[in-house]
């Protein structure tokens, strides 16, 4: 092979390598942009999970990552530990039958199966909770929306109770006010079941769920009990406006103390 031919081949290889680098940078940039997309909407991510489920830890990790990267965006992460895995070798200390009931309500309205890890976004769509591409797409779509309702919540803690003042603006009809008391982080060592021997990190664990039929639509007050170890740094309270029949969520907000 002549030197000129070798030089041409080398130049072609270098050009191909350079193009590949640019393509990878473009993909990375796109992913970063997708995570920081701006809009007027909001995204409520409700993950149904269990410590007894071996396919759930990747979904828990993804939701923890999303929560960490959310910043000031209106992205609300809630993880519900269902109780139907408890009879299969390991009782999840965070499990609650109320969360299983909520999942079954979603499955009925969305015509979906009940499984873990299952992620529901804004009460309108569901998919496997460890699917990062689907999760990113759902978040971006929700954030680009134009809500017709807004919710504001103010809270005051007194003797193991919390008084919540709510204010609703916009087009709202027959919605329930759902209040979730959320523990931001926890670590569990699983001794039996599918995750035997694993140490699991949890994020945004729903520890208590309350639902209220609103007596007055525009503003009012409700009261909830809170766990003894509740504090404003390690916990948070998230409110949702949800239609009791369609299960669609029309507004969401964190409680300001």
């Amino acid at each position: 092979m002549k030197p000129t031919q070798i030089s041409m081949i080398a130049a072609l290889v270098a050009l191909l390598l350079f193009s590949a680098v640019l393509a990878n940078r473009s993909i990375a940039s796109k992913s970063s942009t997708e995570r920081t997309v701006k809009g007027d909407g909001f995204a409520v991510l409700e993950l149904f999970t269990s410590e007894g489920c071996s396919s759930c830890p990747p979904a828990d990790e993804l939701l923890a990552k999303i929560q960490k990267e959310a910043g000031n965006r209106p992205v609300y992460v809630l993880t519900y530990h269902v109780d139907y895995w408890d009879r299969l070798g390991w009782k999840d200390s965070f499990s609650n039958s109320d969360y299983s009931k909520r999942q079954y309500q979603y499955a009925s309205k969305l015509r979906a199966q009940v499984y873990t890890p299952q992620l529901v976004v804004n009460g309108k769509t569901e998919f496997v909770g460890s699917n990062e591409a689907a999760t990113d797409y759902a978040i971006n779509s929700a954030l680009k929306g134009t809500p017709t309702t807004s919710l504001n919540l103010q809270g005051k803690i007194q003797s193991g109770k919390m008084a919540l003042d709510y204010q609703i603006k916009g087009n709202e009809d027959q919605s329930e006010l759902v209040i979730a008391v959320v523990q931001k982080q926890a670590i569990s060592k699983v001794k039996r079941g599918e995750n035997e021997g694993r140490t699991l990190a949890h994020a945004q664990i729903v520890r208590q769920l309350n639902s209220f039929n609103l007596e007055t639509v525009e503003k009012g007050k409700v009261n909830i009990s809170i766990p003894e170890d509740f504090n404003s740094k390690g916990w948070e309270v998230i409110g949702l406006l949800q239609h009791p029949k369609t299960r669609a969520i029309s507004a969401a907000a964190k409680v300001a103390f």
Side-chain angles (χ1 to χ4, degrees):
M1 186 178 292
K2 296 181 179 180
T4 54
Q5 291 177 317
I6 295 175
S7 298
M8 290 177 65
I9 292 173
L12 179 60
V13 170
L15 178 61
L16 291 173
L17 289 174
F18 181 69
S19 298
V21 170
L22 289 179
N24 287 333
R25 287 181 178 177
S26 176
I27 292 172
S29 176
K30 181 180 179 182
S31 176
S32 175
T33 301
E34 287 176 349
R35 286 197 180 277
T36 57
V37 66
K38 295 182 179 180
D40 296 326
F42 66 92
V44 176
L45 310 181
E46 297 181 87
L47 176 67
F48 295 91
T49 184
S50 173
E51 290 181 348
C53 163
S54 61
S55 58
C56 285
D60 294 325
E61 293 168 5
L62 174 59
L63 271 290
K65 178 183 178 183
I66 290 172
Q67 172 69 17
K68 184 178 180 180
E69 295 177 350
N72 294 323
R73 295 186 304 161
V75 176
Y76 306 92
V77 177
L78 302 168
T79 60
Y80 301 91
H81 289 238
V82 296
D83 71 335
Y84 50 80
W85 274 92
D86 289 355
R87 62 182 181 272
L88 301 176
W90 175 253
K91 180 174 172 52
D92 189 331
S93 61
F94 299 117
S95 66
N96 191 309
S97 61
D98 289 342
Y99 309 153
S100 301
K101 180 180 178 181
R102 184 171 179 82
Q103 186 182 18
Y104 273 92
Q105 288 173 337
Y106 275 134
S108 176
K109 296 302 178 183
L110 298 175
R111 297 182 180 179
Q113 294 182 337
V114 169
Y115 60 91
T116 53
Q118 185 174 32
L119 184 63
V120 178
V121 180
N122 284 2
K124 299 176 181 179
T125 186
E126 65 82 28
F127 47 86
V128 177
S130 55
N131 188 331
E132 186 168 3
T135 303
D136 281 343
Y137 179 81
I139 292 173
N140 295 336
S141 298
L143 293 180
K144 292 176 183 177
T146 306
T148 58
T149 308
S150 66
L151 173 67
N152 182 272
L153 292 166
Q154 299 288 328
K156 186 176 182 180
I157 301 173
Q158 292 180 327
S159 303
K161 301 281 186 180
M162 182 180 297
L164 297 171
D165 291 301
Y166 66 84
Q167 185 173 4
I168 301 170
K169 294 181 180 180
N171 182 20
E172 190 52 45
D173 182 31
Q174 298 180 342
S175 285
E176 296 176 339
L177 177 61
V178 178
I179 302 294
V181 181
V182 179
Q183 183 178 343
K184 293 182 180 181
Q185 295 179 339
I187 299 292
S188 294
K189 294 183 178 180
V190 181
K191 298 180 180 180
R192 292 180 298 278
E194 291 188 2
N195 288 315
E196 181 178 0
R198 298 186 65 176
T199 298
L200 302 179
H202 304 304
Q204 296 300 107
I205 314 151
V206 177
R207 299 297 305 277
Q208 188 174 301
L209 195 64
N210 306 270
S211 183
F212 301 92
N213 292 318
L214 300 181
E215 295 181 1
T216 57
V217 175
E218 293 183 355
K219 60 182 179 179
K221 184 187 294 286
V222 296
N223 294 282
I224 63 171
S225 60
I226 54 175
E228 293 182 359
D229 52 345
F230 180 93
N231 63 78
S232 58
K233 291 184 178 181
W235 298 64
E236 64 184 11
V237 179
I238 296 174
L240 314 172
L241 285 179
Q242 185 166 40
H243 197 283
K245 293 183 178 180
T246 66
R247 310 307 298 169
I249 296 171
S250 57
K254 291 182 181 179
V255 174
F257 296 100

